[in-house]
Amino acid sequence: SAVISQKPSRDICQRGTSLTIQCQVDSQVTMMFWYRQQPGQSLTLIATANQGSEATYESGFVIDKFPISRPNLTFSTLTVSNMSPEDSSIYLCSVAGLEGGTDTQYFGPGTRLTVL
Amino acid sequence: QQQVKQSPQSLIVQKGGIPIINCAYENTAFDYFPWYQQFPGKGPALLIAIRPDVSEKKEGRFTISFNKSAKQFSLHIMDSQPGDSATYFCAAASGRNQFYFGTGTSLTVIP
């Protein structure tokens, strides 16, 4: 499985500001994903980030609020823009990989965001 | 619409007990069913997974039981230990970018 790191691991931000979260993988991967996990909740897919193309956003998430970059096959960023307290969540990146010959997803450690 | 329904929401067992977490799905296109384990402050870690061509898979103390006709699958943890205390998520997938997660089960194993 891939080794995935995220920066920052946590942050406390003021309302109206923006935060960029970085996701670094130790091997080249075609597909990377960004999820949001609100306290005590399940994982909600924000968008799929493919290298060399625009990210694909899920219903309820828009590029102006969550711009994503994917400059190469090992790195991606997610920006949470114009933050409000409702954006307080854990943000997770994941990558597509293989487990026993089957497509699966592996997750990074997450970024815990608190918006005041 | 919740694609995968998971129960119970929380579970408390004594050390050595066998907690069972259940998941159900509707979409017959799903062909991969992983379980993830998440400790506080960590990301979900792939624990064990099954494909619908088998009815059971064991890895150490963790077992997945799969009932294709009922569209249900469950995680059993044998001889549970306090270190197994975590949140467990089931998922159903039909391709690398079509993962749907359950709502999670918070497991507490009491020493």
Side-chain angles (χ1 to χ4, degrees), chain A residues 54-84:
Chain A
E54 293 288 327
T56 303
Y57 289 84
E58 297 299 305
S59 176
F61 298 96
V62 295
I63 188 171
D64 289 347
K65 175 67 175 178
F66 298 100
I68 289 171
S69 77
R70 183 80 200 273
N72 57 52
L73 291 174
T74 64
F75 186 79
S76 179
T77 67
L78 170 76
T79 299
V80 186
S81 303
N82 188 24
M83 289 184 286
S84 66

Short mmCIF file of all heavy atoms in Angstrom, two decimals, chain A residues 54-84:
data_model
loop_
_atom_site.label_atom_id
_atom_site.label_comp_id
_atom_site.label_asym_id
_atom_site.label_seq_id
_atom_site.Cartn_x
_atom_site.Cartn_y
_atom_site.Cartn_z
N GLU A 54 -9.09 18.64 -14.90
CA GLU A 54 -9.82 19.30 -13.83
C GLU A 54 -10.37 18.25 -12.86
O GLU A 54 -10.74 17.15 -13.25
CB GLU A 54 -10.99 20.10 -14.41
CG GLU A 54 -10.58 21.30 -15.26
CD GLU A 54 -10.02 22.43 -14.40
OE1 GLU A 54 -10.48 22.59 -13.25
OE2 GLU A 54 -9.12 23.14 -14.87
N ALA A 55 -10.44 18.64 -11.61
CA ALA A 55 -11.02 17.76 -10.61
C ALA A 55 -12.51 17.58 -10.87
O ALA A 55 -13.17 18.48 -11.40
CB ALA A 55 -10.79 18.31 -9.21
N THR A 56 -13.02 16.44 -10.50
CA THR A 56 -14.45 16.16 -10.63
C THR A 56 -15.09 16.26 -9.26
O THR A 56 -14.73 15.49 -8.36
CB THR A 56 -14.66 14.74 -11.19
OG1 THR A 56 -13.99 14.62 -12.44
CG2 THR A 56 -16.15 14.47 -11.37
N TYR A 57 -16.04 17.18 -9.11
CA TYR A 57 -16.65 17.45 -7.82
C TYR A 57 -17.97 16.70 -7.66
O TYR A 57 -18.74 16.55 -8.61
CB TYR A 57 -16.89 18.96 -7.66
CG TYR A 57 -15.60 19.72 -7.47
CD1 TYR A 57 -14.82 20.11 -8.55
CD2 TYR A 57 -15.14 20.03 -6.19
CE1 TYR A 57 -13.62 20.77 -8.37
CE2 TYR A 57 -13.95 20.71 -5.99
CZ TYR A 57 -13.19 21.07 -7.10
OH TYR A 57 -12.01 21.73 -6.91
N GLU A 58 -18.21 16.28 -6.44
CA GLU A 58 -19.47 15.62 -6.11
C GLU A 58 -20.56 16.67 -5.86
O GLU A 58 -20.27 17.86 -5.62
CB GLU A 58 -19.30 14.74 -4.87
CG GLU A 58 -18.31 13.61 -5.06
CD GLU A 58 -18.70 12.66 -6.17
OE1 GLU A 58 -19.83 12.11 -6.12
OE2 GLU A 58 -17.89 12.46 -7.09
N SER A 59 -21.79 16.20 -5.90
CA SER A 59 -22.91 17.09 -5.67
C SER A 59 -22.79 17.75 -4.31
O SER A 59 -22.51 17.09 -3.30
CB SER A 59 -24.22 16.29 -5.74
OG SER A 59 -25.32 17.09 -5.43
N GLY A 60 -22.97 19.05 -4.28
CA GLY A 60 -22.89 19.79 -3.04
C GLY A 60 -21.54 20.44 -2.78
O GLY A 60 -21.38 21.18 -1.82
N PHE A 61 -20.58 20.15 -3.63
CA PHE A 61 -19.23 20.72 -3.49
C PHE A 61 -18.88 21.44 -4.79
O PHE A 61 -19.11 20.91 -5.88
CB PHE A 61 -18.20 19.63 -3.20
CG PHE A 61 -18.44 18.91 -1.91
CD1 PHE A 61 -19.13 17.71 -1.88
CD2 PHE A 61 -18.00 19.45 -0.70
CE1 PHE A 61 -19.37 17.04 -0.69
CE2 PHE A 61 -18.23 18.78 0.50
CZ PHE A 61 -18.91 17.59 0.51
N VAL A 62 -18.33 22.65 -4.66
CA VAL A 62 -18.01 23.44 -5.84
C VAL A 62 -16.56 23.88 -5.83
O VAL A 62 -15.94 24.03 -4.77
CB VAL A 62 -18.94 24.68 -5.95
CG1 VAL A 62 -20.38 24.24 -6.17
CG2 VAL A 62 -18.82 25.56 -4.72
N ILE A 63 -16.05 24.12 -7.01
CA ILE A 63 -14.64 24.46 -7.18
C ILE A 63 -14.28 25.76 -6.50
O ILE A 63 -13.17 25.90 -5.97
CB ILE A 63 -14.27 24.47 -8.68
CG1 ILE A 63 -12.76 24.63 -8.85
CG2 ILE A 63 -15.02 25.56 -9.40
CD1 ILE A 63 -12.29 24.45 -10.28
N ASP A 64 -15.19 26.74 -6.48
CA ASP A 64 -14.87 28.01 -5.86
C ASP A 64 -14.62 27.86 -4.36
O ASP A 64 -13.83 28.59 -3.77
CB ASP A 64 -16.00 29.02 -6.09
CG ASP A 64 -16.07 29.47 -7.54
OD1 ASP A 64 -15.11 29.20 -8.30
OD2 ASP A 64 -17.09 30.07 -7.92
N LYS A 65 -15.29 26.94 -3.75
CA LYS A 65 -15.16 26.71 -2.31
C LYS A 65 -14.00 25.76 -1.99
O LYS A 65 -13.31 25.94 -1.01
CB LYS A 65 -16.47 26.12 -1.77
CG LYS A 65 -16.44 25.73 -0.30
CD LYS A 65 -16.33 26.95 0.62
CE LYS A 65 -16.44 26.51 2.08
NZ LYS A 65 -16.27 27.67 2.99
N PHE A 66 -13.81 24.77 -2.84
CA PHE A 66 -12.79 23.73 -2.61
C PHE A 66 -11.90 23.55 -3.85
O PHE A 66 -11.90 22.48 -4.47
CB PHE A 66 -13.46 22.40 -2.26
CG PHE A 66 -14.28 22.41 -1.01
CD1 PHE A 66 -15.66 22.52 -1.06
CD2 PHE A 66 -13.66 22.31 0.24
CE1 PHE A 66 -16.42 22.52 0.10
CE2 PHE A 66 -14.42 22.31 1.41
CZ PHE A 66 -15.79 22.42 1.34
N PRO A 67 -11.13 24.55 -4.20
CA PRO A 67 -10.24 24.38 -5.36
C PRO A 67 -9.18 23.31 -5.08
O PRO A 67 -8.66 23.21 -3.97
CB PRO A 67 -9.61 25.76 -5.55
CG PRO A 67 -9.84 26.48 -4.26
CD PRO A 67 -11.06 25.90 -3.63
N ILE A 68 -8.89 22.53 -6.10
CA ILE A 68 -7.97 21.41 -5.98
C ILE A 68 -6.90 21.53 -7.06
O ILE A 68 -7.19 21.88 -8.20
CB ILE A 68 -8.72 20.06 -6.14
CG1 ILE A 68 -9.59 19.78 -4.92
CG2 ILE A 68 -7.76 18.91 -6.40
CD1 ILE A 68 -10.52 18.59 -5.08
N SER A 69 -5.67 21.23 -6.68
CA SER A 69 -4.60 21.15 -7.67
C SER A 69 -4.04 19.74 -7.68
O SER A 69 -4.06 19.02 -6.67
CB SER A 69 -3.49 22.15 -7.37
OG SER A 69 -2.68 21.69 -6.30
N ARG A 70 -3.55 19.32 -8.85
CA ARG A 70 -2.93 18.00 -8.99
C ARG A 70 -1.79 18.15 -9.99
O ARG A 70 -1.89 17.71 -11.13
CB ARG A 70 -3.96 16.99 -9.49
CG ARG A 70 -3.44 15.59 -9.60
CD ARG A 70 -3.39 14.85 -8.30
NE ARG A 70 -2.48 13.73 -8.35
CZ ARG A 70 -2.81 12.50 -8.77
NH1 ARG A 70 -4.03 12.25 -9.20
NH2 ARG A 70 -1.90 11.55 -8.76
N PRO A 71 -0.69 18.74 -9.54
CA PRO A 71 0.38 19.07 -10.48
C PRO A 71 1.17 17.87 -10.99
O PRO A 71 1.80 17.96 -12.04
CB PRO A 71 1.27 20.01 -9.66
CG PRO A 71 1.02 19.62 -8.24
CD PRO A 71 -0.42 19.22 -8.19
N ASN A 72 1.17 16.77 -10.24
CA ASN A 72 1.90 15.59 -10.68
C ASN A 72 1.26 14.35 -10.08
O ASN A 72 0.22 14.43 -9.41
CB ASN A 72 3.39 15.69 -10.30
CG ASN A 72 3.60 15.90 -8.82
OD1 ASN A 72 3.07 15.14 -8.00
ND2 ASN A 72 4.35 16.93 -8.45
N LEU A 73 1.88 13.20 -10.29
CA LEU A 73 1.26 11.93 -9.89
C LEU A 73 1.48 11.56 -8.43
O LEU A 73 1.04 10.50 -7.99
CB LEU A 73 1.79 10.80 -10.80
CG LEU A 73 1.33 10.86 -12.25
CD1 LEU A 73 2.04 9.79 -13.07
CD2 LEU A 73 -0.17 10.70 -12.36
N THR A 74 2.17 12.43 -7.69
CA THR A 74 2.42 12.11 -6.27
C THR A 74 1.92 13.19 -5.32
O THR A 74 2.12 13.08 -4.10
CB THR A 74 3.93 11.91 -6.01
OG1 THR A 74 4.62 13.13 -6.26
CG2 THR A 74 4.50 10.79 -6.88
N PHE A 75 1.27 14.21 -5.81
CA PHE A 75 0.94 15.36 -4.96
C PHE A 75 -0.39 15.98 -5.36
O PHE A 75 -0.75 16.03 -6.54
CB PHE A 75 2.06 16.40 -5.09
CG PHE A 75 1.94 17.57 -4.15
CD1 PHE A 75 2.32 17.45 -2.82
CD2 PHE A 75 1.46 18.80 -4.60
CE1 PHE A 75 2.22 18.52 -1.95
CE2 PHE A 75 1.36 19.88 -3.73
CZ PHE A 75 1.75 19.74 -2.42
N SER A 76 -1.11 16.46 -4.34
CA SER A 76 -2.35 17.19 -4.58
C SER A 76 -2.57 18.16 -3.42
O SER A 76 -2.07 17.95 -2.31
CB SER A 76 -3.54 16.24 -4.69
OG SER A 76 -4.76 16.95 -4.89
N THR A 77 -3.30 19.22 -3.70
CA THR A 77 -3.71 20.13 -2.64
C THR A 77 -5.20 20.37 -2.72
O THR A 77 -5.80 20.36 -3.81
CB THR A 77 -2.99 21.49 -2.71
OG1 THR A 77 -3.40 22.18 -3.89
CG2 THR A 77 -1.49 21.33 -2.70
N LEU A 78 -5.78 20.59 -1.55
CA LEU A 78 -7.18 20.99 -1.41
C LEU A 78 -7.19 22.28 -0.63
O LEU A 78 -6.59 22.36 0.45
CB LEU A 78 -7.98 19.93 -0.66
CG LEU A 78 -9.40 20.33 -0.23
CD1 LEU A 78 -10.35 20.31 -1.43
CD2 LEU A 78 -9.93 19.41 0.87
N THR A 79 -7.85 23.30 -1.15
CA THR A 79 -8.01 24.56 -0.43
C THR A 79 -9.45 24.69 0.04
O THR A 79 -10.38 24.43 -0.72
CB THR A 79 -7.65 25.76 -1.33
OG1 THR A 79 -6.26 25.64 -1.72
CG2 THR A 79 -7.83 27.07 -0.58
N VAL A 80 -9.59 25.01 1.31
CA VAL A 80 -10.91 25.32 1.85
C VAL A 80 -10.99 26.84 1.91
O VAL A 80 -10.24 27.46 2.68
CB VAL A 80 -11.12 24.68 3.24
CG1 VAL A 80 -12.56 24.90 3.70
CG2 VAL A 80 -10.78 23.20 3.21
N SER A 81 -11.85 27.42 1.11
CA SER A 81 -11.88 28.87 0.93
C SER A 81 -12.97 29.53 1.76
O SER A 81 -14.01 28.92 2.03
CB SER A 81 -12.11 29.21 -0.55
OG SER A 81 -11.13 28.62 -1.38
N ASN A 82 -12.70 30.77 2.15
CA ASN A 82 -13.71 31.57 2.84
C ASN A 82 -14.41 30.74 3.91
O ASN A 82 -15.62 30.55 3.88
CB ASN A 82 -14.71 32.13 1.84
CG ASN A 82 -15.67 33.13 2.47
OD1 ASN A 82 -15.36 33.74 3.49
ND2 ASN A 82 -16.84 33.28 1.87
N MET A 83 -13.61 30.27 4.84
CA MET A 83 -14.10 29.28 5.80
C MET A 83 -15.14 29.83 6.78
O MET A 83 -15.11 31.00 7.16
CB MET A 83 -12.92 28.69 6.57
CG MET A 83 -12.04 27.78 5.72
SD MET A 83 -10.72 27.02 6.65
CE MET A 83 -9.61 28.41 6.86
N SER A 84 -16.02 28.94 7.17
CA SER A 84 -17.01 29.21 8.21
C SER A 84 -16.92 28.08 9.23
O SER A 84 -16.34 27.02 8.93
CB SER A 84 -18.41 29.31 7.62
OG SER A 84 -18.81 28.04 7.12
#
